[in-house]
Amino acid sequence: MEIVGRSITRVDAVAKVKGTAKYVDDHFVPGMLHAKAFRSTIANGWVKSIDVSKAKVLPGVVAVITYEDVPTHTFPTAGHPYSKDPSHQDVADRNLLTRRVRYVGDEIAAVIAVDELTAEKARQLINVEYEEYAPVLTAEAALQPGIPEIHAGTGNVLGRGGYEVGDMAEAVAESDHTFVDEFSTQVVAHCAMENYSAYAYMEENGRIVVVSSTQIPHICRRIVGQALGIPWGRVRVIKPYIGGGFGGKQDTVVEPLVAFLTTKVHGRPVKMELSREESFISSRVRHPFQFRIETGVTKDGTLSFRNLEAISLNGGYASHGQSIANNCGTKFRQQYRQKAIKYSCKTLYTNMPAAGAMRGYGVPQAMFVMESHLDDIARALDMDPVEIRLKNIPETGHKDPLNGIVALSNGLKECLVKGKELIRWDEKKAAQANQTGTKRRGLGVACFNYASGTHPVGLEVAGARIVMNEDGSVQLQVGATEIGQGSDTVFSQMVAETIGIPLSMVHILSEQDTDISPVDLGSYASRQTYITGMAVRKAAEEIKAKVLEYAWGMTDIPAQVMDIVDGWIVYKHNGEKITPLIEIALDAHTDVVHAKPFTADVTNNARVNALAFGCTFVEVEVDILTGKVEILEIYNIHDSGTIVNPTLAEGQVHGGVSMGLGYALYEQMLFDPKTGKPLIHNLLDYKLMTALDTPEIGAHFVNTFEPTGPYGAKALGEPPAITPAPAIRNAILDATGVKFNDLPMTPQRLIAKFQAEGLI
Amino acid sequence: MEIVGRSITRVDAVAKVKGTAKYVDDHFVPGMLHAKAFRSTIANGWVKSIDVSKAKVLPGVVAVITYEDVPTHTFPTAGHPYSKDPSHQDVADRNLLTRRVRYVGDEIAAVIAVDELTAEKARQLINVEYEEYAPVLTAEAALQPGIPEIHAGTGNVLGRGGYEVGDMAEAVAESDHTFVDEFSTQVVAHCAMENYSAYAYMEENGRIVVVSSTQIPHICRRIVGQALGIPWGRVRVIKPYIGGGFGGKQDTVVEPLVAFLTTKVHGRPVKMELSREESFISSRVRHPFQFRIETGVTKDGTLSFRNLEAISLNGGYASHGQSIANNCGTKFRQQYRQKAIKYSCKTLYTNMPAAGAMRGYGVPQAMFVMESHLDDIARALDMDPVEIRLKNIPETGHKDPLNGIVALSNGLKECLVKGKELIRWDEKKAAQANQTGTKRRGLGVACFNYASGTHPVGLEVAGARIVMNEDGSVQLQVGATEIGQGSDTVFSQMVAETIGIPLSMVHILSEQDTDISPVDLGSYASRQTYITGMAVRKAAEEIKAKVLEYAWGMTDIPAQVMDIVDGWIVYKHNGEKITPLIEIALDAHTDVVHAKPFTADVTNNARVNALAFGCTFVEVEVDILTGKVEILEIYNIHDSGTIVNPTLAEGQVHGGVSMGLGYALYEQMLFDPKTGKPLIHNLLDYKLMTALDTPEIGAHFVNTFEPTGPYGAKALGEPPAITPAPAIRNAILDATGVKFNDLPMTPQRLIAKFQAEGLI
């Protein structure tokens, strides 16, 4: 391969660096109105009365809309493909504006004004009287009988799930040791550079156009249609460049409301841009989990059974809800071989911001509990942590007993071997035995598996359209969204590779428009390269076949013996040049008899999945006195099949590991236990990793080829964020002998536990 | 047919009336620079020296570009499909800026500034010294030996053409009478409501984006590529709503220069909007023709031979040039049956604005000479003008001996019969015999034929893409441009009709973008309904077939026995409803196994043509003393096959007839015979028909069905403008007995000739 596999500079690099790439806020629309939501200041209760009279008369205010003005039906917000099967549909528990408030920040009313400042002022002129209930912030509170339900009829249980595979009784009987422990993870926020922002207006035919920073234009269109109760084809969603999403924009946070608001002002454009504070408290967060894990092993460290119980707290609305707990359980199962495995989970409503999709989708939580627990077991058995993993990982060809996915490529063993080498595991392990100082070093490892897309749970449709110009260059359109991950570049490489033209002759349309772009479900589930890539490759193959067929007509040389290489039609057997591609493309545009410009408009229903694997190796130095954890070395080693663009892949790993480091050590949204008010909702208080906090990150890949993927590729987007936390936790354990089972592992927590365990 | 044939309100009506439809000038681009051309003040000569120093230092001026800075190669500007055959390519005689000036207004330099006013001021600070030659404004002057050629090596002859069919000697011998006469037509301007306007900028990958008020986005892309000497795929042309074109924007007037200018300012957006004055003097005009015609008839009025000699004056540059004289000759030939026919023409360079395409493309000139001359013959033979036409028009099935087009539908006879009835021809003829007062009434008639597109001279490729949404509604994309003629509405009707859905479920994308829109050559040659309509219908048929095939899978009812009617899948034999379309469309978007959203991306190479026919009947009252001609009644009767939208068709006729009235009576661009300076270049001096000048216009259609056309349709766009002039000329002759052989027939000219002929 000439172009796939090369570190091409990303196609949007210059535009993004120079600031010429246009984001939602770069769009200037004359007459734009600005909306601000009036948000609940209590976590749980309902609005007894609302007074918008002062807001309405403020000069510059165009309209004030309250819960009284919105449709009464509820809608879902999660960015999942629609299913006609009601049991497979997302929970519809939202109104556009609500009288029943379920978290601090819930949207009660919206002000539309001629500018943002006026809207902000008017928002402050709204008065409400609440009836307030005690906030529900924990699983215990949620399940307390007799309290007002957050959503009527649910008992505050959004969903339950689980499975049991294998003969548990036999597996338990065969175990030499059984280990039980508990773990928990925290609430974190996506913190994409670009906040949630969208505007909407109406076309003169009554259709609603939404321009949004979204990962999922086609799904967003459907949800807006549902929310407003109008046919989905009456909605058009346009997605310009986007400043990150990380799953938060795989949800409809502002689009349904902004689409509704324009209908209340005769179709005038209405924009709603959440501030950073609003993005923290009123978008989506990562689900906090509580785990109880039980593992049986034989004395040689072979896993005999595993049993995980999970409680996921979902906040005030369903969003992706129970799906995340389910995914947590799936990856828990697929990680290792065992005789029997059991998973049970429930997802509870609480009075916190709704939890939704976030990079890893429940798997950072799953891997934190199981990879931490596994190290505890290894320690108890006096086994090397790498050794116990190598002993239990499944081989290539392993078939998942529940979803039937066969791992046709599995480089996890190579990842572990490579990581061990990179960090000089054995050498350091020996050197670091029996440390006693105040600064102690330790090594940690953690493994993960991750899927490429959502099959067979979810639909995996993707489309690609290619048109060839007179000069042989092409335009590529996809419905999948470039959200910073580099998919536009990867798709361009695939097209250039497949057709046989230089990359400079591939022009990708980066903006998605549901009126025009091929149908695609969007960017999530690490699906772009793998799922959309299949459609892109198919479209490029179709174009190539059409070119060669046409060339046959012009040259009398059979299509089967020709190829396209670097913009030339050549003989396949020896590469001899026949004619430049431009001669074919130009003829196909201009020949009075045969003209038929080459296009391909392809939809692909993938119906496959592939497991990506990998691991983190880390060396830390723990300052026992300050509780500070310094990352000395960190390596993420990935089996993501063929790496289409090594530099971009490395970038994904850097970003993901950085996110994983924050998850491990710093990030947490805190809420006042009495009132449910968020205590941290800005980037000053919320400890996001900065460039200065980030150590050098080693990104490495092993060579595998995934037969179901385009060019052998499989998922890479989310995996890097998964295992830094358990690897660091295990390294701290290695350094100090102290187990930390709750995230994040902040200095305060370390100090407290070091004191409790008598280290200081 | 349910929807085709109905007077649907045009799809863009509300947007255009409310002003929400976006034209080039409605696009706001931050940092837009403005360019003004520095234009020649002499008609013929060259620039000895240019001093731009003062302009360059004016604050706000970003760059001054002159003829020294542009590529030296020449390029063509006409909006024709490209041909690889050099003999079929347009004449490439332009530079982006020129030292050799060829008309008053020729572009020597361009100023780029931060705003339009600064650009205008800077333009006035440029000084040039000319070497001046005598302006060439007539055929005689152009062909004078020894004068400096306007384009070196041409002898000022841009092209020659003609043909001879049949046995001329025999036909001459059989003639009982021979008539010879001379005619001439004037220079007129298109006067589209929106002047020529475009802006260009560069994408960060170096591609140039041109946003233009153009009829021909795909061709414009090619010409910009040629002009700048870059691969055509490096150019992207976007066409928003457009305020009329009439053929003037079937040419690249501002696009190549504006595309070049952005490359000189690092890709910053540069806009160039011609003022009304500039649009008059420096865009394109209608070719003035001089004719000599000779006709032989037998005594019963049967045409035996015809012979037309034409000289067309083309101005300083080729543009469409000789093509227009050729088209004049083709329609001359196809109008009537005769034993032998001869045509010879030449197109000459002069020092006037370049003549290009304009509604009718040489045929208003052709019909003026032949239909006027025919009335003179009828008068000499004492035959009724309708009678002589009926005697000589070809029957359905007539095959053109040169281009092979067979008229498979021909309603000209019905048009003549209907027009005669409408105007009460016989009754009025009798009443108006022997008038003697100062106000005399007369009746006139004139016929035309016109083609539907350019086959077999030109390529006729068109494309259409349809995507169906989950609710069964569709988006339609075409590369053909809505330029006010209503094509977007007509295409939408075709799609609704073909698929079987209400019109409200068809959403057409009105904006063309060469990166995305299906390849189409643009809006010209009255080709949209006929040529693009074929592609639209094909795409809709493909969608329908896919829907029914999918429905087969869902219902087990064979696709062949089902139909789609008003958004329902029904049994074909009795219309019984089976399932709503939305069920099929939604399933095709969501079924985990079979999902494959319906799309069709169709290119059609038409390779057919169809002749449209029609005639004008008019009654005038001529005031002998003032020379004023009042239109008492006027009817245009058209055979355009199936009329897809009667109200829109009527609108086309109203606009075209109004244009024809101005051509007949008022409009003319005049030039100072000594200097070549245009004397009329604004809407105050140029007598464009206003609403108050326009009489009630009767638009009528006869029923024919064109088998090659979509739903039986054929051309209508240009035909209405063709025959008002000869019909009025014939009516004035009928009223006064005086022949007017030169257009326009202004009061001054009438008075002069009435005096010369002794009427006053």
Side-chain angles (χ1 to χ4, degrees), chain A residues 20 204 233 465 471 516 601, chain B residues 20 204 233 465 471 516 601:
Chain A
T20 49
E204 295 302 346
R465 180 170 179 253
D471 60 0
I516 297 170
D601 195 358
Chain B
T20 49
E204 294 302 344
R465 179 169 180 254
D471 60 359
I516 296 170
D601 195 0

Side-chain angles (χ1 to χ4, degrees), chain A residues 209-281:
Chain A
V209 183
V210 182
V211 180
S212 173
S213 175
T214 177
Q215 299 175 222
I216 46 165
H218 280 96
I219 291 177
C220 178
R221 175 177 69 168
R222 181 259 298 172
I223 295 174
V224 169
Q226 287 180 300
L228 274 63
I230 59 175
W232 307 346
R234 306 289 293 164
V235 181
R236 176 180 186 180
V237 176
I238 295 171
K239 178 243 155 214
Y241 280 97
I242 163 172
F246 307 117
K249 295 172 186 168
Q250 190 205 341
D251 214 311
T252 49
V253 170
V254 290
E255 298 92 342
L257 182 56
V258 87
F260 178 72
L261 294 180
T262 187
T263 69
K264 305 307 278 183
V265 291
H266 310 290
R268 292 173 69 184
V270 179
K271 183 171 172 182
M272 192 162 182
E273 187 191 356
L274 300 196
S275 66
R276 178 60 68 186
E277 288 71 14
E278 288 177 307
S279 294
F280 264 104
I281 68 165

